[in-house]
Each structure stands twice: as C-alpha cells, then as structure tokens.
Amino acid sequence: MPATKAILIVIDGLTPAMFEDAVERGSAPALAALAERGEYRRAVTVFPSLTPVCLSSLATGAYPDVHHIPHLVWYHRGERRLVEYGSSFAALRRAGARRGIVDAIFRMNEEHLSRDAETIYESLEDAGRVAAAVNIICYRGRTPHVARIPGLTRAAHGPRRFFYFNLFESDETGAPFRVGARHLGANDRYAAAVGRWLVTRDGFDVLVYYLPDYDFASHALGPDAAHAALARSDAAVSALIDAAGGIDALLERYAVVLCADHGQTHVERSASLLERFAGVDDLVVTASNRAGMVYDLRGHRARELAERLDGDPATGVACFLEDGELVARSADGEGLDVLAEHPDGVVRALAALRNPNAGDVLVSAAPGFEFADLAGRHHVGGGSHGSLTAGDSEVPMLAVGLGPPPARITDVTPLLLDHVGVERPAYARSLSHVG
Ligand SMILES: [Zn+2]
C-alpha cells in the first residue's frame, strides 16, 4: 500500500551540483538512501531567488504575484517604511531589533503574506488533517500559539504542530536549542530533535521540515565548499529515518520531497545599487544579496530609472512593466530575448513584477556581483543568490513515492496535497501556472 502521508524536506541554499556530488560520493548517506529510492531532477525556483520569497512559494504553491512576499528587504508603500526580514531569525533575535523580529516572525505571515494565497498547512487543516512545520518562516496556519519569550504575549497562527526555533513549540519535545551557533548547525540539530519526536509519534499527515544552516555556511564558504554543513543537514535527515526504524519503514509511511529553496553562486565583487541613483528624488532602493528593487514614489519613471542602469557592470537584467507589458534590459539591449538565457526567465520576472509589494524596477545581479545591503554587508569571497541566473535559480528536486519530481518549486505543495487527497487552492489547479 502506498504511503498516505508526506514529508517535505527543504535544505536552504543547497545547489544541485552539491546534492548530486554528495549522493554520488556517498558523503551524505541519508540523502543517498532517499535518492536511491526516488526520482531526481533539477528544478527552478521563483524570482527574486531569496529565502522568504522562495519559502512562501514552496509553502503556498504560488508565485510572488499571488503570495505578495517580494524580497528580504522591501518598501511598504502603505506604511511608508522599509520591511527587513533579516537573514535569519537567529540573527535577528541576537540583534534584538524588535521591529525586525515583529516583521519577520509575525507580520510576514499575518499581514504581508496575501490572504489570496493558501498555505499547505491551511489547506490540510481545513480538510481535517494535521500539518506540522519545523523552523520554516512561512508558517501561517489556523492554530494560535503563544511565544515562549517572556513579555512577548502576541500569538502567532501556525499549524497544529508548530516548532519555530524554540520560540513557538506546540508540544514539549525536550529538543535543545542554542541561539547564535548557526555556523555549527544549531538550528538543524534542533530540527532533528523535533523531527525525531514527530516521526516517532507519527504525529502529522504532512511535515514541512526546514533546515536553514547549510545556506549560512555556503554564504561564508562559497557554493561548492560547505561539505561539513551538508553533513550536518544530512544528519538531520538521518534523524527522521532512524525515528521511523530505517529508510524502508520511513517510506512505508511517508512520501518524501527533498529540495532547496534556491541555489547559490560565487561572489567576487560587491556593488551599491543605491549609488546608481544618486541625485534622484522620490525613490527608494532596496537591495541585498543578488537582487535589487527600485521604488519610484512618483509612479511613472520605471523606464527612466531602468535606463540609468545601462552600462552598470553589476546589473545583469533590469526589468519593469510598461503599460502592463514586461520590458527587460541588459548589456545585450532591450527585449524579452535577454531573459531567454535564464530558466523560466519571462514567467518569473513577470510574476515578480506583478507583486504589489515589489519595486517598479527589479534588478537581477550580473554573475559574480552582489548588492551590498542596508548595512553595507556582502559575501565577497563566498556565495550568494537572488538573481535570475541558473546558478541562483536551480535547485535539487528529489521525489520519493510520488512519481516524477516537480519541475518548479511552485508545484511541490500541489503535488503533496494531491498525494494526501486534499484539494489544491484554486490558483494551483493547473501545474506551472502564473497568475
Ligand atoms: Zn534560502
């Protein structure tokens, strides 16, 4: 009898090349055991290829035009302020930036994530099934949970089984957690302890199991060097296998999808996108990693602003909407042809620009470049992501017990809902849609 439940494992920032190499050489035994029993392909993520955008697409099956999460950092037109989700919850919590914490933890799910999008947890629990989420920052569900930080009384609505960096814990699992040791895999170890507890109890219909620590190491070391971090992510996957009593016992109960949210590429130079707009009034530039956005507060200068990036070595593609039509410019000129070299380039650029929270001009960085963030930080000498290029945009996609793996990360949630017999949201009734 085929498994009727499912687990989605997301290893943040894992590139297809690293996954394939680790499976081939046997250096990630848990991943290899899954790969041996499943079907694999390279799949494509959304644009900008940044964690909050990609995880929202994974959790909802929607492109950004539907889910409305535009970037790591963006300008809220209604509230006339910047929203900064931060690179990680652990980093935010450590920095103690209260507004950033509230934006990243609460408002992203309560306010910024569109009500037109439906998370996999909402779909499941509306159908009377049990959803579980570990550490994933796109968690919106129907069950209120109170934070475990003294003085923070605000409740978050998550799935029934909800574990979020030990800030929210729906059940007492005894999982240990230490903030700030991300480079040593503290988040993945926490996930492993919770995952072991959940699988031991068979406590869910679908578990979304998010492992953030690999991305952190890959940013620092570069996209082909974070072998130790991948070994720790692999150990967290092993914890699920062990809890079930072995790989075959696990797969008797659960179908599995294992993927990343985006890739990473080498960074050799950093650039300031803001500097390109020196002397221009009524505009906001938000940039970090390998994607930037320009908000024209006058509302009619998108072309003029995009043209200012002509000849900028850090700009790979600048795109905008003109009378509702997509326009893309690069060193090769203007036209949709400049998107042809990027996977799903036209569809992804259009979905990004049709997001009401996005800037009027979206900038995909040229290979090797990174845009410095608000604090001037960058990852020169390491890895980054965010652009339309294949290296940032392609992810490993492994499906076990589900037939052929999805070609796009937006197709993961629809596939899992089909598998457990729960109806998809209306916008996801056909595969590979764009709204
Ligand atoms: Zn990520």
Side-chain angles (χ1 to χ4, degrees), residues 23 29-39 247 398 400:
V23 165
L31 303 192
L34 287 169
E36 201 178 293
R37 292 161 176 84
E39 292 182 50
I247 184 78
L398 175 67
V400 193

Tab-separated table of all heavy atoms in Angstrom, residues 23 29-39 247 398 400:
chain	number	residue	atom	x	y	z
A	23	VAL	N	25.565	12.754	-3.189
A	23	VAL	CA	24.878	11.472	-3.382
A	23	VAL	C	25.801	10.493	-4.096
A	23	VAL	O	25.912	9.316	-3.721
A	23	VAL	CB	23.560	11.687	-4.169
A	23	VAL	CG1	23.026	10.364	-4.702
A	23	VAL	CG2	22.524	12.371	-3.270
A	29	PRO	N	24.892	10.110	3.466
A	29	PRO	CA	24.233	8.793	3.361
A	29	PRO	C	22.703	8.845	3.411
A	29	PRO	O	22.047	8.059	2.724
A	29	PRO	CB	24.797	8.006	4.555
A	29	PRO	CG	25.556	8.991	5.392
A	29	PRO	CD	25.889	10.170	4.536
A	30	ALA	N	22.141	9.772	4.178
A	30	ALA	CA	20.668	9.836	4.254
A	30	ALA	C	20.102	10.324	2.920
A	30	ALA	O	19.108	9.788	2.413
A	30	ALA	CB	20.237	10.752	5.393
A	31	LEU	N	20.732	11.357	2.349
A	31	LEU	CA	20.276	11.853	1.049
A	31	LEU	C	20.430	10.765	-0.016
A	31	LEU	O	19.569	10.592	-0.881
A	31	LEU	CB	21.061	13.107	0.630
A	31	LEU	CG	21.049	14.314	1.570
A	31	LEU	CD1	21.622	15.553	0.871
A	31	LEU	CD2	19.648	14.608	2.088
A	32	ALA	N	21.561	10.046	0.044
A	32	ALA	CA	21.804	8.983	-0.938
A	32	ALA	C	20.758	7.871	-0.820
A	32	ALA	O	20.281	7.346	-1.829
A	32	ALA	CB	23.213	8.425	-0.757
A	33	ALA	N	20.380	7.532	0.422
A	33	ALA	CA	19.389	6.473	0.624
A	33	ALA	C	18.044	6.886	0.030
A	33	ALA	O	17.321	6.071	-0.566
A	33	ALA	CB	19.246	6.170	2.114
A	34	LEU	N	17.693	8.148	0.179
A	34	LEU	CA	16.443	8.641	-0.408
A	34	LEU	C	16.552	8.668	-1.940
A	34	LEU	O	15.631	8.251	-2.650
A	34	LEU	CB	16.115	10.042	0.121
A	34	LEU	CG	15.631	10.114	1.576
A	34	LEU	CD1	15.599	11.566	2.061
A	34	LEU	CD2	14.236	9.474	1.725
A	35	ALA	N	17.706	9.156	-2.439
A	35	ALA	CA	17.880	9.293	-3.887
A	35	ALA	C	17.812	7.940	-4.581
A	35	ALA	O	17.262	7.810	-5.679
A	35	ALA	CB	19.211	9.984	-4.197
A	36	GLU	N	18.346	6.933	-3.911
A	36	GLU	CA	18.350	5.579	-4.471
A	36	GLU	C	16.930	5.056	-4.692
A	36	GLU	O	16.680	4.241	-5.558
A	36	GLU	CB	19.066	4.673	-3.445
A	36	GLU	CG	19.616	3.390	-3.964
A	36	GLU	CD	20.316	2.656	-2.825
A	36	GLU	OE1	21.355	3.173	-2.346
A	36	GLU	OE2	19.805	1.608	-2.403
A	37	ARG	N	16.005	5.561	-3.879
A	37	ARG	CA	14.625	5.054	-3.934
A	37	ARG	C	13.649	6.011	-4.614
A	37	ARG	O	12.451	5.755	-4.643
A	37	ARG	CB	14.155	4.762	-2.501
A	37	ARG	CG	14.893	3.591	-1.879
A	37	ARG	CD	14.788	3.594	-0.358
A	37	ARG	NE	15.427	2.419	0.220
A	37	ARG	CZ	16.750	2.326	0.469
A	37	ARG	NH1	17.548	3.336	0.186
A	37	ARG	NH2	17.239	1.223	0.997
A	38	GLY	N	14.162	7.141	-5.113
A	38	GLY	CA	13.260	8.139	-5.686
A	38	GLY	C	13.658	8.545	-7.088
A	38	GLY	O	14.508	7.918	-7.725
A	39	GLU	N	13.040	9.610	-7.552
A	39	GLU	CA	13.354	10.174	-8.866
A	39	GLU	C	13.846	11.598	-8.666
A	39	GLU	O	13.300	12.337	-7.845
A	39	GLU	CB	12.125	10.179	-9.768
A	39	GLU	CG	11.663	8.791	-10.170
A	39	GLU	CD	10.463	8.849	-11.125
A	39	GLU	OE1	10.530	9.585	-12.127
A	39	GLU	OE2	9.457	8.186	-10.828
A	247	ILE	N	15.083	3.304	6.565
A	247	ILE	CA	14.608	4.010	5.378
A	247	ILE	C	13.336	3.367	4.809
A	247	ILE	O	12.398	4.072	4.405
A	247	ILE	CB	15.736	4.090	4.303
A	247	ILE	CG1	15.294	4.905	3.087
A	247	ILE	CG2	16.215	2.720	3.854
A	247	ILE	CD1	15.318	6.374	3.269
A	398	LEU	N	14.100	16.081	-5.420
A	398	LEU	CA	14.010	14.627	-5.303
A	398	LEU	C	12.619	14.265	-4.804
A	398	LEU	O	12.133	14.850	-3.831
A	398	LEU	CB	15.066	14.151	-4.287
A	398	LEU	CG	15.083	12.681	-3.912
A	398	LEU	CD1	15.491	11.819	-5.101
A	398	LEU	CD2	16.051	12.461	-2.748
A	400	VAL	N	10.224	10.925	-3.662
A	400	VAL	CA	10.236	9.504	-3.340
A	400	VAL	C	8.798	9.073	-3.043
A	400	VAL	O	8.137	9.639	-2.177
A	400	VAL	CB	11.133	9.209	-2.113
A	400	VAL	CG1	11.381	7.706	-1.991
A	400	VAL	CG2	12.456	9.964	-2.197
